[in-house]
Amino acid sequence: MDKIEELKIQLANEPDSEIVHNLLGMELYNRQQVDEARRHFLRSVELKPDYVEAWYNLGILEGENGPPETAVTYFQQVLSINPRVHDAYNYLGVLHCRLEQWDQAETAFARAFELNPKSIEPLFNVARMYENTGRLDEAVKIFEVFLETREANVLVLNVLAGLYLKKDDKPRALKALTRSLAVFENQPEMKDAVVRLKMDLEPPAAARLRPALPAIALEPDWPEAKKLPGGEAGVPTAAKPLSAVGPGADPYLKHIPQADRASKTGMNILIMGDFDVDKGLSSLMRAINRYTIHKARLITWHHDGQDDPADVLLDDCDGDFEEADRLVQLADFFHFGRQIFNFPGVDFNVLIQPHNALIQYFGPELVSDGPRIYEYHRKTGLKAVASWDWSAYSRVPLAYYHVPPLMIMEEDYLAPAPSDETWRIRNFPTNRRIDGTDRILSAVDRIKKDYPVELEILEGPAAWAKIKKTPRAHLAIGSLIAGGPGHQVVSAMARGEVAMASLSNWFLSLHPASPIINLDTQDLESQLRHLLSDRSAVARRSQLSQAWIRDHFDARVVAVIGIPDAKWGESVKAVVILHGGSEGSPELAQELMDYCKDKIAGYKKPKTVDFIKEEEMPRTGTGKILHRELRVRYGKWSDQK
């Protein structure tokens, strides 16, 4: 039975119990039912005027949802009953800050720390107050004194490093972060910050993740390929000879089925990233291995915690560096996600050149570090691709191509339909508090009274593996924080689940026709009820979702050529390879032509479409399409009489 229902039954038996009213208020508040929670807290203190816990909860509730003046009176009531509640002083200090009552705030924080010297929260709050009021030196002094008299604290050291950076004191910031990592090593963001500081403070050769290639000699017309003695075309001149790799099976065949290995006559492509950003890099590896003559592997430095690592995970010190080193030595081409990082035994400053590497960007780094990225590509000549719209390219010279942030395979479309009348809803939080999972739980709990609903929370690698083996849900709910839908929601749409997420204006401007339901976080329950009231509407939107995904991914390879035309002399023909499992038809050909109508100029639009199999597409030894052979096959304008 639901906890709230249990407490309501208990309250029916004990209507004048201040304890039950307080407990029920807490449960209701956790479910975002603020007004009901307030009513029970007030009833609790009415029944017992000196009930500290209920007054305290009222202070929290009003501090987060009401005027700060009201919250102040409640916390003062707490302290009039028990003047040793240190958390009440801390909250009181926060409220005085909101009211810009700085002296009262400082007094409250000092009293909170006096009552509980082990608590660092009042320190953080008073330091933040000093920082916001321009007293930066005093904020720094608080933490420096704390560290002189106490054991090193990771949070204190990290905040102190941030304060040093605001004072532009990079050496002390580096020292604080280094000390923090010595206390607790598993802090990926802090490690990256240390690297960036070292890049600024030390010579380039000393920077571990230095995204710079000082050894590259810029040439206007870079050769298409350079060869090592005994090596393969495309291997950089400074790379180790392949003979140095040693014996053993080709590691690039790891993800290639035995039946497909003979067709893999192209390059070894090594994809690398600090994270597998929203599964974009691992889906790229899958696509290359599935649909091209090339072989791909993936190395990531950090684990995102959402799924089992797709391939080689270094994870700072516990990873398989020996296999990573072997993959680097055998690579013909490097595809970096967001940044280039070295690791023991491998220095990309001497390995990569403009003809054998590129960097893929995902958006935020172009906004936050655009000028430095622009200058880096201008100096090195290294190419770039971006995962979003063309406007991002203005921040990166030599960025000629767009790649989808996530690539959907044909098996991702396969999922059995739900087997009963229960509405199945899934949520994919990476952080329940940030992604709003509690709000979703609360809304679904209320809806259960009127509809048969089952909510499944999918978290962590085991949960994500489970989804691939179960029937699809009806609805997939992403984050309630405005942004893009995320790879879980996109994958759910491919399965035919109706997607709901809080979408940013930027995402909506890129995809105005997206069938994803843009969640109003203030009206989540009404939106869900509207959907659940009409099964046929959900079924139609399910079909729209799959169609939208296929618009972006279903046509796997397209070659466009000119063919003889009796009226115009020459017209445009598209020769298309579909994903496995998809079949060409006159209707699909017309759909593709219609899709192009308002997207490209009329003279560029295909007038006819032919569907062929993978083996029927003429290619060079490196996988490029031979358009001249297609023109011979379909006829050339010059052949017309």
Side-chain angles (χ1 to χ4, degrees):
M1 184 184 295
D2 182 79
K3 183 66 174 177
I4 290 179
E5 295 303 320
E6 289 181 4
L7 288 168
K8 285 182 176 179
I9 292 172
Q10 187 176 350
L11 190 62
N13 296 324
E14 305 175 66
D16 293 331
S17 170
E18 74 279 1
I19 295 175
V20 178
H21 276 288
N22 184 56
L23 290 173
L24 182 54
M26 292 169 65
E27 286 296 326
L28 290 166
Y29 189 63
N30 288 335
R31 304 285 183 90
Q32 303 295 317
Q33 298 180 41
V34 176
D35 292 337
E36 279 293 293
R38 181 188 289 112
R39 185 171 66 82
H40 285 284
F41 289 144
L42 288 170
R43 178 58 178 158
S44 181
V45 296
E46 181 183 345
L47 291 167
K48 187 178 180 182
D50 62 347
Y51 192 15
V52 168
E53 289 81 358
W55 285 113
Y56 185 90
N57 288 332
L58 277 168
I60 297 293
L61 183 149
E62 295 298 345
E64 294 179 352
N65 300 276
E69 294 86 353
T70 303
V72 166
T73 62
Y74 288 143
F75 282 118
Q76 288 173 340
Q77 184 67 26
V78 169
L79 294 169
S80 69
I81 301 168
N82 183 354
R84 299 195 63 79
V85 182
H86 60 88
D87 279 342
Y89 279 109
N90 184 54
Y91 275 110
L92 200 55
V94 171
L95 292 165
H96 284 310
C97 285
R98 287 170 58 187
L99 294 168
E100 299 185 0
Q101 298 168 349
W102 310 118
D103 291 340
Q104 294 96 314
E106 191 168 2
T107 300
F109 290 137
R111 181 60 176 153
F113 189 69
E114 178 186 343
L115 290 170
N116 184 12
K118 293 182 179 180
S119 173
I120 61 173
E121 192 170 352
L123 287 182
F124 283 116
N125 288 330
V126 74
R128 188 177 297 113
M129 180 186 75
Y130 287 154
E131 180 184 351
N132 292 337
T133 54
R135 300 157 66 182
L136 203 57
D137 290 337
E138 292 179 69
V140 168
K141 188 65 175 178
I142 284 177
F143 290 121
E144 288 179 338
V145 171
F146 179 91
L147 292 169
E148 287 172 2
T149 57
R150 311 289 176 87
E151 291 184 4
N153 181 286
V154 170
L155 291 175
V156 171
L157 287 164
N158 291 345
V159 173
L160 183 58
L163 293 172
Y164 282 140
L165 287 175
K166 289 201 169 187
K167 291 167 60 68
D168 200 29
D169 191 342
K170 292 181 180 179
R172 287 191 177 184
L174 178 60
K175 185 177 179 180
L177 288 177
T178 303
R179 189 177 172 190
S180 171
L181 290 168
V183 176
F184 182 64
E185 185 180 5
N186 189 21
Q187 300 182 78
E189 291 185 2
M190 297 304 109
K191 288 183 178 181
D192 291 344
V194 166
V195 169
R196 289 193 294 271
L197 284 169
K198 286 183 176 180
M199 288 166 53
D200 292 337
L201 295 172
E202 300 175 8
R208 186 177 176 207
L209 307 186
R210 178 77 176 181
L213 306 174
I216 288 181
L218 298 179
E219 298 179 21
D221 298 307
W222 196 272
E224 289 187 4
K226 294 185 177 182
K227 291 187 178 182
L228 288 172
E232 298 291 335
V235 177
T237 54
K240 303 173 187 177
L242 297 187
S243 58
V245 174
D250 180 358
Y252 280 86
L253 291 172
K254 177 179 179 179
H255 302 297
I256 310 296
Q258 189 70 38
D260 298 336
R261 292 184 176 184
S263 65
K264 294 296 180 178
T265 58
M267 297 185 295
N268 290 338
I269 299 175
L270 183 57
I271 304 168
M272 300 184 66
D274 53 344
F275 287 90
D276 182 9
V277 181
D278 213 15
K279 301 302 171 196
L281 296 180
S282 55
S283 72
L284 175 63
M285 177 185 72
R286 292 169 61 203
I288 291 171
N289 287 331
R290 176 72 61 83
Y291 300 125
T292 77
I293 63 171
H294 309 298
K295 297 168 288 183
R297 293 291 301 273
L298 170 64
I299 297 174
T300 50
W301 190 265
H302 303 303
H303 185 211
D304 60 10
Q306 298 181 43
D307 206 344
D308 291 324
D311 206 350
V312 179
L313 176 68
L314 297 183
D315 199 16
D316 304 318
C317 58
D318 299 325
D320 191 344
F321 287 92
E322 184 176 344
E323 182 178 12
D325 181 71
R326 182 174 173 81
L327 291 172
V328 170
Q329 293 184 62
L330 284 171
D332 299 313
F333 193 88
F334 300 96
H335 180 113
F336 295 98
R338 191 157 55 188
Q339 65 176 332
I340 300 170
F341 58 83
N342 297 326
F343 53 87
V346 173
D347 182 3
F348 283 107
N349 286 300
V350 297
L351 284 176
I352 63 174
Q353 303 285 349
H355 67 276
N356 76 339
L358 60 78
I359 300 178
Q360 177 180 350
Y361 294 105
F362 300 95
E365 60 277 1
L366 296 178
V367 176
S368 63
D369 209 13
R372 187 164 67 162
I373 290 174
Y374 186 97
E375 187 64 17
Y376 165 64
H377 284 276
R378 188 187 67 79
K379 285 184 177 180
T380 63
L382 207 64
K383 304 297 189 296
V385 295
S387 292
W388 293 105
D389 68 325
W390 63 268
S391 62
Y393 298 144
S394 63
R395 297 181 179 272
V396 186
L398 307 173
Y400 301 126
Y401 298 101
H402 163 90
V403 293
L406 181 71
M407 299 192 179
I408 300 295
M409 308 296 142
E410 58 262 31
E411 64 267 23
D412 295 328
Y413 291 99
L414 305 176
S419 56
D420 56 35
E421 292 300 307
T422 301
W423 285 103
R424 303 191 184 281
I425 303 174
R426 286 187 174 131
N427 176 234
F428 315 95
T430 54
N431 182 305
R432 286 195 178 206
R433 183 179 62 82
I434 294 175
D435 291 331
T437 298
D438 286 344
R439 292 188 183 185
I440 296 168
L441 282 166
S442 178
V444 171
D445 281 348
R446 293 190 294 272
I447 290 171
K448 281 182 177 178
K449 299 174 183 177
D450 304 309
Y451 297 95
V453 176
E454 180 181 298
L455 176 63
E456 186 177 15
I457 307 295
L458 291 171
E459 298 173 285
W464 189 242
K466 176 185 174 184
I467 190 177
K468 301 174 183 177
K469 303 176 183 178
T470 58
R472 69 172 183 257
H474 297 90
L475 307 178
I477 304 179
S479 175
L480 300 188
I481 301 298
H487 80 276
Q488 299 100 326
V489 172
V490 172
S491 297
M493 292 173 69
R495 291 163 54 86
E497 298 174 17
V498 175
M500 308 176 75
S502 185
L503 303 174
S504 67
N505 290 334
W506 182 67
F507 179 85
L508 291 170
S509 71
L510 294 178
H511 301 287
S514 162
I516 302 172
I517 297 170
N518 188 16
L519 282 177
D520 178 352
T521 56
Q522 303 302 317
D523 200 22
L524 172 62
E525 182 179 344
S526 295
Q527 288 180 292
L528 284 171
R529 286 183 180 277
H530 178 73
L531 272 176
L532 301 184
S533 66
D534 190 344
R535 285 187 181 271
S536 61
V538 171
R540 289 194 299 273
R541 192 173 281 269
S542 170
Q543 295 172 351
L544 282 173
S545 297
Q546 284 191 309
W548 186 74
I549 294 294
R550 288 190 182 280
D551 271 350
H552 291 78
F553 302 105
D554 203 46
R556 180 158 67 83
V557 177
V558 178
V560 178
I561 58 174
I563 62 170
D565 184 274
K567 181 177 181 180
W568 302 106
E570 192 173 44
S571 64
V572 178
K573 173 180 282 293
V575 183
V576 177
I577 301 173
L578 297 175
H579 282 296
S582 299
E583 295 184 1
S585 65
E587 292 77 17
L588 181 56
Q590 187 60 50
E591 183 180 340
L592 288 172
M593 289 186 287
D594 291 343
Y595 181 79
C596 295
K597 280 184 179 178
D598 58 352
K599 294 176 175 61
I600 55 178
Y603 67 90
K604 295 181 180 180
K605 292 183 295 189
K607 302 298 187 292
T608 56
V609 175
D610 275 19
F611 300 101
I612 64 173
K613 297 179 180 179
E614 170 65 46
E615 58 270 21
E616 295 174 330
M617 182 68 79
R619 297 180 184 273
T620 67
T622 58
K624 293 182 178 179
I625 295 173
L626 289 169
H627 289 79
R628 63 178 181 273
E629 290 194 14
L630 286 175
R631 285 191 287 270
V632 169
R633 183 183 304 176
Y634 288 99
K636 295 181 292 184
W637 175 79
S638 57
D639 294 335
Q640 281 192 284
K641 300 292 185 181

